[in-house]
Amino acid sequence: MFGIPSAKGFDSTLALLRNPYGFISETCRALDTDLFETRILLQETICMTGAATAEAFYREDRLIRAGSMPGRIQKSLLGEGGVQGLDGAAHQHRKKMFMSLMGTERIAALEGTSLHMLDNYAPDWEARNEVVLYDEVREMLTRAACAWAGVPLNEAEVATRTAQLTALFQDAGALGPKHWRARLARHRLEKWAARLIQQVRDGELQPTQESALHIIATWRDLDGELLTPRVAAVELLNVLRPTVAVSVFIVQAAHALHRHPEWRQKLKDDEGQLEPFVQEVRRLYPFFPAVAARVKSDFEWRGHRFPKGYRVLLDLYGTNTDARSWDAPQEFRPERFHDREVTPYEFIPQGGGDHHRNHRCPGEWIAISQMKAFCSFFVNAIDYEVPDQDLDLETGELPPMPKSRFIMRNVRPRQ
Ligand code: HEM
């Protein structure tokens, strides 16, 4: 049996914070390995990258999620008691609730709602000299997500809920006041969402049967009990927050269209190119750096010993850009998806493995369909200019966005 190689130094927390998308893969390359041991937040941690390690990571009989997330991420981004921290039968049962929201018709309904929003917003964009795309899309997706989920949202609330839902994914990983802003946003959103759940249970609100609000408010866990209002609130936010977060992918897609203008014409000529284009954005633009689990009991993998209780981090970004799986991995080449079946372990921007059995993101179809709808709108429905601005991705931020948030000027309908 071989020991797992160790990273230099006593603790790698700072190195990871400084370089969240490169630390694991670069350390692996330096050590000529695909996994190594270190300490993160003073805890023994095994970091891994690449498709083979992803396959090992999604062995849920060996690696569990309970207690794997740092408390500060739970108190801001994820909330407590939600599906992310469940294991085994309890996880699979709760996951059914999310998967039941993802039927083809429901995904199409959300896409239709967003397209309707775009039609409503476009005349206003035309009337203004400039628009900041990220701000517009976040607000549109807040409206669309709430409408689709059966959540009432009056006009006076839109700006506040948009800002709060954004704080959950944009400020959670930050240090200092931004992080506290995310925690405050979570506190307020959970109170709001718990009240909605209670109103449905009391018959004061009657969202449609297929809406997320109805399904979550009436879901029963394996013990036959309704979710507590607080846990149901966490799960409702597990639908609203990430749907608004798709705005990041949409801005990244607009950025890719700008940096690779030849793709505008390709997308116009052939809508079959939309899917490879958005898949390449999801592969190459950084979003979530890694996911975490914990070793359930000692096991061996390829001769390496994984001791019980160790935290394990799987490098998502490094796996999506691993030269062992992808030719010229740092080049933007949507055509690589034309004739390629990807395994559930080499292309993992939203986690890997099986959607039903593992913790893989149930929202992948939403992300893909929303990105396609917005890209199609950008190339077929409007013309716009992209004025000089700082379009470098701000890698000190999680997720990285262009500093300018992508300004569009002189938006007009396509003739
Ligand atoms: C913005 C684009 C999105 C990204 C980058 C993203 C990313 C992720 C990642 C990395 C995971 C963890 C996978 C793992 O632990 O193995 C995850 C899980 C999850 N995502 Fe997403 N996601 C996105 C959109 C969505 C959407 C639109 C929804 C729902 C409407 C959603 C709901 C969830 C839920 C409920 C989980 C927990 C699943 C489980 O623990 O079984 N996500 N997502």
Side-chain angles (χ1 to χ4, degrees):
M1 189 157 71
F2 327 109
I4 296 181
S6 294
K8 273 195 285 196
F10 177 73
D11 185 283
S12 299
T13 310
L14 274 181
L16 178 66
L17 286 176
R18 267 194 221 114
N19 183 12
Y21 297 98
F23 168 70
I24 297 179
S25 57
E26 287 166 23
T27 308
C28 280
R29 271 197 296 279
L31 295 170
D32 192 22
T33 176
D34 50 12
L35 77 176
F36 63 89
E37 232 179 277
T38 185
R39 286 189 184 78
I40 304 283
L41 297 171
L42 300 176
Q43 284 191 32
E44 308 280 6
T45 302
I46 296 169
C47 298
M48 334 203 277
T49 194
T53 64
E55 195 164 353
F57 182 88
Y58 284 101
R59 283 284 305 266
E60 301 198 355
D61 52 333
R62 293 175 160 180
L63 293 174
I64 55 173
R65 299 304 178 98
S68 66
M69 269 296 153
R72 59 196 310 277
I73 295 293
Q74 239 178 353
K75 291 193 164 72
S76 51
L77 179 72
L78 299 178
E80 289 166 306
V83 64
Q84 290 93 343
L86 301 179
D87 291 299
H91 171 252
Q92 296 212 357
H93 181 73
R94 187 82 65 82
K95 190 68 177 280
K96 282 194 187 128
M97 179 177 83
F98 286 96
M99 296 306 287
S100 74
L101 305 173
M102 303 301 166
T104 322
E105 280 171 24
R106 295 298 295 146
I107 305 283
L110 180 57
E111 188 178 318
T113 309
S114 291
L115 285 171
H116 182 65
M117 296 286 161
L118 276 164
D119 285 339
N120 284 345
Y121 272 63
D124 181 48
W125 293 358
E126 287 154 28
R128 279 147 65 187
N129 181 31
E130 284 187 350
V131 291
V132 177
L133 184 66
Y134 182 52
D135 296 347
E136 300 295 310
V137 179
R138 286 184 303 118
E139 191 178 285
M140 264 188 262
L141 290 184
T142 300
R143 290 177 192 273
C146 288
W148 179 76
V151 168
L153 184 71
N154 60 48
E155 204 47 39
E157 257 184 313
V158 173
T160 310
R161 296 303 175 208
T162 303
Q164 290 171 337
L165 288 164
T166 304
L168 296 186
F169 60 86
Q170 198 180 274
D171 297 338
L175 298 172
K178 272 184 153 190
H179 174 75
W180 287 98
R181 187 164 73 190
R183 283 169 83 143
L184 182 62
R186 171 155 290 282
H187 176 72
R188 294 192 168 146
L189 286 167
E190 284 187 8
K191 251 173 88 178
W192 168 64
R195 212 166 38 241
L196 292 168
I197 296 288
Q198 202 54 55
Q199 285 173 335
V200 175
R201 291 179 180 167
D202 294 344
E204 291 166 24
L205 250 184
Q206 282 155 350
T208 56
Q209 298 276 323
E210 71 278 9
S211 67
L213 178 56
H214 175 84
I215 289 175
I216 295 169
T218 55
W219 188 260
R220 289 180 188 273
D221 257 349
L222 280 178
D223 57 8
E225 298 293 327
L226 292 170
L227 306 180
T228 65
R230 189 42 69 99
V231 169
V234 166
E235 300 299 33
L236 183 59
L237 295 176
N238 263 336
V239 172
L240 301 180
R241 177 202 68 244
T243 303
V244 177
V246 174
S247 54
V248 173
F249 270 154
I250 289 170
V251 168
Q252 292 176 336
H255 185 271
L257 265 179
H258 178 64
R259 286 275 156 93
H260 308 278
E262 69 284 8
W263 277 91
R264 294 191 72 82
Q265 195 58 45
K266 291 186 194 175
L267 300 188
K268 256 183 231 165
D269 292 344
D270 175 6
E271 69 170 30
Q273 299 293 334
L274 281 167
E275 179 125 354
F277 181 84
V278 305
Q279 294 295 55
E280 184 67 343
V281 171
R282 294 198 316 132
R283 186 191 70 81
L284 188 55
Y285 280 74
F287 204 136
F288 272 91
V291 282
R294 208 171 265 288
V295 179
K296 186 177 179 189
S297 44
D298 289 7
F299 72 89
E300 249 185 64
W301 179 74
R302 296 196 171 169
H304 297 295
R305 197 172 76 86
F306 283 64
K308 178 179 176 178
Y310 270 41
R311 179 177 280 155
V312 179
L313 285 187
L314 173 66
D315 175 19
L316 301 180
Y317 183 70
T319 301
N320 292 337
T321 52
D322 186 341
R324 293 170 296 180
S325 298
W326 307 95
D327 290 336
Q330 290 300 335
E331 285 179 21
F332 185 79
R333 289 191 192 166
E335 55 274 50
R336 69 173 83 241
F337 284 98
H338 283 169
D339 48 7
R340 171 168 182 161
E341 278 296 308
V342 285
T343 73
Y345 302 111
E346 57 195 357
F347 177 49
I348 54 172
Q350 294 176 230
D354 179 75
H355 291 96
H356 297 267
R357 215 179 48 249
N358 301 116
H359 283 269
R360 185 175 188 145
C361 176
E364 280 197 282
W365 300 280
I366 288 184
I368 293 168
S369 86
Q370 294 289 317
M371 291 170 79
K372 284 166 67 176
F374 275 79
C375 286
S376 173
F377 187 85
F378 295 152
V379 300
N380 294 313
I382 53 170
D383 283 319
Y384 55 89
E385 291 153 22
V386 180
D388 275 351
Q389 58 192 290
D390 189 348
L391 284 173
D392 287 347
L393 294 190
E394 188 62 84
T395 49
E397 253 189 343
L398 287 183
M401 297 277 294
K403 280 202 191 83
S404 64
R405 306 313 200 212
F406 205 86
I407 298 168
M408 288 172 163
R409 181 178 290 166
N410 194 14
V411 179
R412 60 229 176 263
R414 260 191 86 71
Q415 300 305 325

